[in-house]
Amino acid sequence: ANNTSVKISIRLTQTEKDELQKFAQEQDLTMSQVIRKALKEYMNKIQDKERVEVSNFKIIYSLKIHI
């Protein structure tokens, strides 16, 4: 895996930016660290949900085949 850092831009409202900055300071993290952690958690959650849906579909499909 290539761990070279790349810069991306995101658009936030001033309120969102202020909330992010305050939260990051409270957690003793940078805003980038908070965003990276949140993004990783979000992507894992979506991928886990898709795996469960696929698994459930396979189980349902398997039951229909054998009935």
Side-chain angles (χ1 to χ4, degrees):
N2 184 354
N3 288 331
T4 303
S5 177
V6 295
K7 182 179 178 180
I8 64 167
S9 296
I10 63 168
R11 293 194 183 276
L12 300 174
T13 64
Q14 185 62 49
T15 301
E16 290 168 333
K17 188 256 183 186
D18 292 344
E19 290 173 354
L20 174 60
Q21 191 168 32
K22 182 175 185 285
F23 181 81
Q25 288 171 345
E26 289 170 354
Q27 300 298 313
D28 197 29
L29 298 169
T30 65
M31 289 192 291
S32 290
Q33 287 172 314
V34 171
I35 291 168
R36 282 194 300 270
K37 286 173 182 282
L39 187 57
K40 189 175 289 187
E41 186 175 317
Y42 174 77
M43 290 189 304
N44 286 338
K45 182 178 175 184
I46 296 298
Q47 288 172 339
D48 288 346
K49 182 175 181 253
E50 288 172 353
R51 277 192 282 272
V52 168
E53 288 172 357
V54 168
S55 176
N56 287 343
F57 172 76
K58 287 179 180 173
I59 291 167
I60 291 167
Y61 184 75
S62 175
L63 288 172
K64 286 182 179 176
I65 295 278
H66 293 94
I67 291 176

